[in-house]
Amino acid sequence: MCKQPQTVSFTLPGWVRDFSADIPSGMSVEQRMAIVIEAARQNVLRRTGGPFAAAVFEINSGKLVALGVNLVTTQGLSMLHGEMVALSLAQRERNTWNLGEDVAHELVTSTEPCAMCLGAVCWSGVTRVVSGASEADARALGFDEGPKPENWQLELQQRDIEVIPEILRDDAVKVLQAYRQQGGVVYNSR
């Protein structure tokens, strides 16, 4: 007999609330990326998940809506990439599945979206994606980014989603390398 689960939930590590509490509005794209990269770094240092983080910001005001960190290994759910966590929390915060409805939102992610997160971006309503490290940087450590379109940026742009790649890329790559150096699990199903 199947014991069908009825819910799925996740909990952010406690440090995330304190980390995000005093983030000011009005920051530049580079400053927003620096915060996301620092969140990924903290996730590695505190051993609370993988070396990835993402956040949803209001584009015009720069106000942080939600910060997410990768929780795959610590919470045992393959869908808990930083982008998926950030988008889910932002949609709950705004009480809508469409983050493009009233206010333009962006997803700032420490590494460009994998195949799963790219799909979520398309349906989330965000109108801009800002990424740090590249897919090649993640693959160099052994992460499987899945089958994405070769020109994923053009695919998003055709959906009126602006893409700003490789912001503070070197800093984002350092977090990936630190994760690997401390023996972090490179989680792939194959």
Side-chain angles (χ1 to χ4, degrees), residues 44 47 52 55 71 79-80 95 98 104 111 115 124 141 154 165 172-173:
V44 170
R47 298 181 186 269
F52 309 100
L71 303 170
M79 69 177 193
L80 293 182
N95 198 32
N98 185 355
T111 302
S124 69
L141 292 178
L154 179 60
V173 169

Side-chain angles (χ1 to χ4, degrees), residues 118-187:
L118 182 64
V121 164
C122 293
W123 297 303
S124 69
V126 298
T127 56
R128 180 161 68 194
V129 173
V130 180
S131 62
S134 71
E135 175 182 356
D137 298 327
R139 285 188 187 275
L141 292 178
F143 285 100
D144 180 356
E145 297 298 282
K148 353 191 277 205
E150 187 173 320
N151 195 344
W152 65 275
Q153 295 176 25
L154 179 60
E155 293 288 335
L156 291 185
Q157 290 166 355
Q158 290 173 347
R159 294 172 178 263
D160 295 323
I161 301 170
E162 180 185 6
V163 178
I164 304 174
E166 298 185 5
I167 299 298
L168 302 180
R169 179 182 178 191
D170 292 342
D171 294 340
V173 169
K174 287 176 186 171
V175 174
L176 297 174
Q177 292 168 339
Y179 180 75
R180 187 64 167 183
Q181 288 168 354
Q182 82 171 28
V185 175
V186 176
Y187 43 87

